[in-house]
Amino acid sequence: ATPLLGAPVQNAAANVDKVVAGSLTAEGTDDLYFVRDDSGVTFTNELWLVTAVGAAATAAIAEPNGVDNVVATSLIHANNRLYFLRHNGGFDMALWVISDANSNAGQAVSDGSAIVKVVASTMTAAGAKFYFSTNDTHGADYFQVNTASGNGQTATASPQHFVNPANLTAVGDRLYFVDNSRLWTVASGQTVAVEVLNGGASLNASLLNAAGSAALTFVAGGNFYRAVGTAVVQVTGGFDVTSVKDVDYADNGAQRVI
């Protein structure tokens, strides 16, 4: 068989180097974004893209607004938009977005003012929405960005305040998360989170796992549970569960913990 031969991606006839490997992120079907770390030359962690991705797409350009100081591991694709964080001085990280509607130019996401102090590990796409939490003066408030309309530049804060929302997990277009040892969920089209379970100290937040597009699996008190919407069913128990990847529901109704 004839081997597949690639071509180097270039800018102005020069190969594009110093690419942060973990930053490569597709936005839609035509654009590929990545971060270059060329500290001390002309930019530091600047956002670049390859447009019209395909067999002939071997040219890269810097993002039109010259966006630098990008957190290379923060690029998230959500509903044909690219969300990412920029270092904003100190430990603050500001949330930015790029969409086809604004010609690949980065714009700051705002809820009336620039959103900073974003907790990077909470950035999660669920259906047509993009969720994240911030650690601001009110504590760890929970925010959501509706990416279904406009350029995705407007964020809406949840009317609820949470202690420390974490382990945001998407199941289809529904979001689950843990806060203060309680499991919460937000359905598509809703802004208010609904408490699913008060697990107390026994709720193992690190073992939340999407099982397909309709169910969430999690562990509390050594028991294994399955949540569909706001309904919770105990799958099995009586053993020490240390890690859960998925649950295989056979035709005969048997469950197998993986």
Side-chain angles (χ1 to χ4, degrees):
T2 303
L4 296 176
L5 299 178
V9 175
Q10 297 185 329
N11 173 260
N15 289 350
V16 176
D17 58 3
K18 301 184 179 179
V19 175
V20 181
S23 68
L24 274 70
T25 305
E27 191 275 302
T29 58
D30 296 323
D31 298 331
L32 175 72
Y33 286 87
F34 59 93
V35 174
R36 291 186 71 189
D37 182 8
D38 200 5
S39 180
V41 185
T42 56
F43 48 79
T44 302
N45 272 29
E46 188 170 55
L47 190 63
W48 282 57
L49 73 152
V50 179
T51 60
V53 171
T58 57
I61 60 172
E63 189 279 333
N65 276 357
V67 175
D68 57 6
N69 295 321
V70 175
V71 180
T73 57
S74 70
L75 279 64
I76 299 288
H77 172 253
N79 197 33
N80 291 325
R81 292 170 177 84
L82 181 79
Y83 291 90
F84 59 95
L85 298 178
R86 295 182 68 188
H87 286 290
N88 201 38
F91 294 101
D92 290 352
M93 290 187 288
L95 183 62
W96 279 56
V97 64
I98 290 174
S99 72
D100 291 338
N102 54 22
S103 303
N104 301 108
Q107 305 287 332
V109 178
S110 170
D111 64 346
S113 58
I115 296 176
V116 296
K117 300 183 185 295
V118 175
V119 181
S121 62
T122 66
M123 295 168 64
T124 305
K129 290 189 176 181
F130 175 74
Y131 297 88
F132 61 96
S133 68
T134 62
N135 184 12
D136 65 9
T137 55
H138 300 292
D141 286 338
Y142 164 80
F143 286 77
Q144 64 177 14
V145 175
N146 187 335
T147 64
S149 61
N151 292 341
Q153 295 172 231
T154 302
T156 303
S158 167
Q160 300 152 288
H161 292 304
F162 295 95
V163 177
N164 185 25
N167 296 90
L168 277 67
T169 303
V171 177
D173 59 4
R174 179 181 288 272
L175 181 79
Y176 289 90
F177 64 95
V178 173
D179 181 71
N180 200 24
S181 297
R182 297 181 178 185
L183 180 65
W184 298 78
T185 187
V186 181
S188 176
Q190 296 181 341
T191 57
V192 177
V194 176
E195 183 177 327
V196 177
L197 178 72
N198 186 346
S202 68
L203 178 60
N204 192 329
S206 66
L207 296 185
L208 266 66
N209 184 68
S213 60
L216 177 86
T217 58
F218 63 96
V219 174
N223 297 318
F224 189 68
Y225 293 89
R226 182 174 185 260
V228 178
T230 58
V232 175
V233 176
Q234 182 174 331
V235 177
T236 187
F239 57 89
D240 182 19
V241 179
T242 57
S243 65
V244 176
K245 179 181 179 182
D246 205 345
V247 177
D248 179 17
Y249 286 88
D251 292 338
N252 61 7
Q255 299 92 27
R256 178 167 59 91
V257 178
I258 300 175

